[in-house]
Amino acid sequence: MIYRLFLVICMVCLVGCNAAQTDDPYDPRASTYFQLSDKLIDVDGLTMRYRDEGPKEARTLVMIHGFTSSLESWDQLAAELSSDYRVIRMDLPGHGLTGPDEQGRYSNEQTVQFVSSFIDQLGLEDPILVGNSLGGLTAWRYASSQSDSVASLILIAPGGFSINGVTEQPAKVPAMVKFYLTKAPEAGVKQALSALYGNPEAIPVERFTSFRNLMKRPGNGEAFVQRAATFTLPDPEPELKRLDVPTLLLWGDSDIMVPSEHGEKFSAALPDAKLIVYDGVGHIPQEEIPGRVAADIHRFLEEHTP
């Protein structure tokens, strides 16, 4: 997850960033990325952007994106699912148009609390949580503490098991990675985003543009560094074994951030889990093969939700 990304970035010859930020950096509503279906909500003192689509009376999917990403990561999957489900997705603290948290609340536990408060404030009952990478880690940790409040889980290459020796202790953030996260240089972002795909040629040009521009929202880079500096991966098995919620695990076998072997670990630890591994796909299947992911989610939810 975060630390696998570090290894990729550190192999890139980082260059300075010359592109100017054209959006108003402080008002999310002035951004070209703020859509008609976007809304703002105060969550524990932080104004968060979220997007709410689909029929309000339908079952609710709450989608949680990964590190350095934003709710745009779900655009294609939401388009596939929003005719049958209410799809809600937010920018996590320090990401997208939500922007930095003045109180610097970026630990895994604090992120779970933000999501919990977000769900409570919207009055969502028994949502289906969908999370990728950091978002997957957040989703299953939320469910482990409130399993009675979650209908089911869809985890796409979630964080959880130790990677590169990271356990309950955070790792030092290298200077080169700090530069990447705070400056979002074009060459570095292209390399990092390409590493998230099994087939980098499948990345739409506009996705690279939005990914980089939202990384460059003032304050986000510093928030990324703070989050990385507090990021930990303690042994997840005790919590996972208590998580008796129907769970769909989706993984790409070309994922170099969170190896697909971790899918087997999750599947073995979770009491009620189904694992699907996609050939030739990377770390963000919801962006790379949204149609296949949507079809698998549909089938799973037809079997596991009333």
Side-chain angles (χ1 to χ4, degrees), residues 279-296:
D279 292 340
V281 175
H283 186 56
I284 46 176
Q286 75 274 13
E287 296 194 37
E288 192 168 359
I289 51 167
R292 291 171 63 188
V293 170
D296 287 328

Side-chain angles (χ1 to χ4, degrees), residues 23-141:
D23 296 337
D24 182 320
Y26 302 108
D27 184 356
R29 292 165 295 191
S31 169
T32 57
Y33 296 105
F34 196 88
Q35 302 296 309
L36 290 175
S37 54
D38 286 357
K39 300 178 181 180
L40 300 176
I41 187 172
D42 183 276
V43 178
D44 295 341
L46 176 66
T47 300
M48 296 180 68
R49 172 181 68 142
Y50 72 101
R51 190 167 294 172
D52 188 349
E53 300 164 301
K56 298 299 183 287
E57 68 279 4
R59 294 307 308 270
T60 301
L61 305 179
V62 176
M63 297 180 170
I64 312 170
H65 64 74
F67 181 59
T68 73
S69 192
S70 66
L71 62 77
E72 279 76 12
S73 180
W74 303 107
D75 279 354
Q76 297 178 80
L77 186 61
E80 296 273 357
L81 296 173
S82 58
S83 60
D84 297 308
Y85 299 95
R86 182 183 181 187
V87 179
I88 297 175
R89 43 200 167 118
M90 83 292 285
D91 288 335
L92 289 174
H95 290 77
L97 295 182
T98 292
D101 173 36
E102 291 183 356
Q103 299 181 49
R105 294 168 289 181
Y106 301 121
S107 71
N108 292 334
E109 294 76 14
Q110 289 166 323
T111 302
V112 170
Q113 181 55 52
F114 270 112
V115 171
S116 178
S117 296
F118 175 84
I119 289 172
D120 288 345
Q121 285 189 229
L122 289 182
L124 306 178
E125 297 183 2
D126 300 326
I128 299 154
L129 299 189
V130 185
N132 173 227
S133 196
L134 171 65
L137 171 65
T138 302
W140 73 254
R141 282 194 166 183

Side-chain angles (χ1 to χ4, degrees), residues 152-155 243 245-249 270 272-275 300:
S152 54
L153 284 171
I154 299 164
L155 305 178
L243 187 52
V245 175
T247 303
L248 176 63
L249 298 164
L270 287 164
D272 184 4
K274 176 181 181 180
L275 172 64
F300 173 77

Side-chain angles (χ1 to χ4, degrees), residues 163-245:
I163 299 174
N164 296 334
V166 178
T167 57
E168 66 275 1
Q169 295 298 321
K172 183 178 180 180
V173 184
M176 185 175 289
V177 173
K178 290 182 180 179
F179 175 83
Y180 166 78
L181 293 174
T182 56
K183 303 301 182 184
E186 183 174 356
V189 175
K190 281 185 176 179
Q191 182 67 21
L193 187 57
S194 295
L196 299 180
Y197 277 67
N199 175 21
E201 295 182 0
I203 304 173
V205 173
E206 60 272 17
R207 179 59 183 136
F208 164 73
T209 302
S210 67
F211 191 93
R212 182 174 180 236
N213 284 348
L214 288 166
M215 282 185 68
K216 287 170 62 60
R217 184 222 188 269
N220 279 357
E222 291 75 13
F224 296 153
V225 173
Q226 291 180 54
R227 184 179 291 275
T230 63
F231 185 73
T232 58
L233 289 171
D235 180 13
E237 285 202 46
E239 287 187 72
L240 292 175
K241 288 180 177 179
R242 294 193 299 268
L243 187 52
D244 193 13
V245 175

